Amino acid sequence: MQINWIYSEDVSCKLKTFLKKQGISRRLLAKVRYSDGKILINGKSGRKIDKIKKNDKITLVVPDEEFRRSVPPSFVPIKILYEDDNYLLVDKPAFVASIPSPLHPNDSLVNRVVGYYQIRGYRGIIPHIVTRLDRDTSGIVIFAKHRYAHALLDSQLKEHKISKTYTAILSGILHNNHYIIDLPIGRDSTSLIKRKVLFSEKAKRSKTEIFVEERIRDNTLCKIKLHTGRTHQIRVHCSYLGYPLVSDTLYGGTISMPLQRQALHCSEVVFWDQFSSQYIKVKSNISQDMMNYLK
């Protein structure tokens, strides 16, 4: 695939300086140079030390990609919320792993996207998963269609510039309408998978913001905004607050039929699209099992 820019500055600069400002990493440049890719200035091969001037056209030809290890396609249909040449946003069902693993090698969300790419006849691209959800959490997952798009969003993730909002049903009645939980999270030494609020050097700063939407019988429907992205962050913070997610048995909740998994759904993401110079905002309605529970 090709990515094109027109240099618009009045002052000339080196090609490598321009590419760095566009978020092109050294690793990606190495892939381009040594894997049949190209860097062109006005259609001619360019070097990193070359100077570019106003109105020059810079083209990055990114080589085709392949998985390092075979990922079998799954042809279970996916629900697409947004797609363009660079990004694919999918509505993940509950009980589907985000990525392949020894327990789920053939039908993770990545496997399903691989199958979708094959059906559509896409060539030379592989799914780059940008955001992941726990197997039992439903909602929006972002995929990048190539290395460069992935690098741009990965940078936004590290700087906490991708906005993610979740819908959750909490056990009990929250008395305030707004909470900010700014407490560090680390591994629970008694479990291979659990996390907990931990006041030690090994814990990482974690910030969660809760907005009460509705109080329904003995539960509270909330919108939850993540300001950091720690494993199980929402589940850990809500449990620590004393209001575990409905049916989240790992963190103190109890199964409440018909909901047989934690009541958590990624309902909105917003990120800056450098290709179109605009924000992309995608929403997802809560899953049917959560809706049935609320009814």
Side-chain angles (χ1 to χ4, degrees):
M1 67 167 297
Q2 291 188 5
I3 302 162
N4 298 296
W5 301 273
I6 300 295
Y7 185 66
S8 59
E9 301 294 328
D10 292 324
V11 180
S12 62
C13 77
K14 288 185 178 179
L15 178 60
K16 67 177 182 180
T17 302
F18 173 80
L19 293 175
K20 184 177 181 180
K21 288 181 179 179
Q22 307 311 309
I24 305 294
S25 65
R26 290 182 180 180
R27 184 178 179 183
L28 178 55
L29 279 179
K31 287 282 186 183
V32 168
R33 287 198 171 275
Y34 301 112
S35 302
D36 298 323
K38 296 178 183 178
I39 304 173
L40 306 175
I41 302 173
N42 298 321
K44 297 181 180 180
S45 180
R47 300 171 300 166
K48 291 191 293 182
I49 60 173
D50 288 342
K51 288 284 189 77
I52 56 174
K53 60 185 184 299
K54 189 172 184 178
N55 295 325
D56 278 350
K57 181 181 179 181
I58 297 90
T59 301
L60 185 71
V61 181
V62 181
D64 289 350
E65 297 183 72
E66 295 180 355
F67 283 111
R68 292 180 182 176
R69 298 177 181 176
S70 177
V71 177
S74 168
F75 297 103
V76 176
I78 57 176
K79 182 178 179 181
I80 297 172
L81 300 171
Y82 176 86
E83 184 177 14
D84 60 21
D85 291 339
N86 307 298
Y87 300 111
L88 174 72
L89 278 73
V90 178
D91 209 352
K92 185 185 87 66
F95 310 115
V96 175
S98 290
I99 62 174
S101 69
L103 287 176
H104 312 285
N106 300 315
D107 193 30
S108 71
L109 194 62
V110 167
N111 297 97
R112 294 183 183 187
V113 172
V114 170
Y116 169 72
Y117 282 4
Q118 287 195 13
I119 291 171
R120 294 295 298 268
Y122 293 166
R123 296 287 183 267
I125 65 172
I126 63 174
H128 293 269
I129 190 165
V130 179
T131 59
R132 302 181 189 182
L133 296 176
D134 295 339
R135 178 177 176 271
D136 293 347
T137 298
S138 54
I140 306 169
V141 174
I142 305 174
F143 287 90
K145 288 188 172 181
H146 51 84
R147 295 186 186 101
Y148 179 40
H150 189 198
L152 292 174
L153 285 197
D154 192 51
S155 177
Q156 290 188 48
L157 267 181
K158 291 176 180 176
E159 297 173 6
H160 310 301
K161 291 183 177 179
I162 296 181
S163 173
K164 292 186 287 183
T165 303
Y166 291 74
T167 301
I169 309 171
L170 277 59
S171 304
I173 298 297
L174 276 68
H175 300 292
N176 298 331
N177 291 327
H178 180 234
Y179 296 80
I180 294 179
I181 310 169
D182 196 343
L183 294 169
I185 291 176
R187 288 184 175 273
D188 187 331
S189 59
T190 65
S191 170
L192 293 175
I193 60 173
K194 283 185 71 175
R195 304 300 196 267
K196 68 177 183 178
V197 170
L198 187 65
F199 300 97
S200 78
E201 294 180 354
K202 294 182 179 180
K204 295 181 179 180
R205 186 190 175 220
S206 308
K207 185 178 179 182
T208 305
E209 192 168 7
I210 300 176
F211 303 88
V212 170
E213 294 277 299
E214 189 176 359
R215 296 172 178 88
I216 307 171
R217 294 188 180 178
D218 296 327
N219 299 145
T220 307
L221 179 67
C222 299
K223 293 290 186 184
I224 301 181
K225 186 175 179 61
L226 285 181
H227 295 281
T228 54
R230 310 304 176 202
T231 300
H232 296 178
Q233 179 176 320
I234 291 173
R235 301 166 67 186
V236 171
H237 274 170
C238 288
S239 178
Y240 186 84
L241 198 64
Y243 302 93
L245 301 185
V246 169
S247 293
D248 188 2
T249 55
L250 187 63
Y251 290 104
T254 56
I255 293 290
S256 297
M257 297 298 289
L259 201 54
Q260 301 182 58
R261 51 95 181 187
Q262 67 260 16
L264 187 61
H265 180 88
C266 183
S267 51
E268 180 182 292
V269 297
V270 183
F271 63 91
W272 176 254
D273 178 16
Q274 191 162 321
F275 299 97
S276 62
S277 297
Q278 63 182 2
Y279 282 100
I280 292 178
K281 181 177 182 179
V282 175
K283 293 186 176 184
S284 165
N285 295 326
I286 63 172
S287 57
Q288 192 62 50
D289 59 351
M290 288 177 65
M291 183 65 72
N292 291 342
Y293 179 79
L294 291 174
K295 287 180 180 179

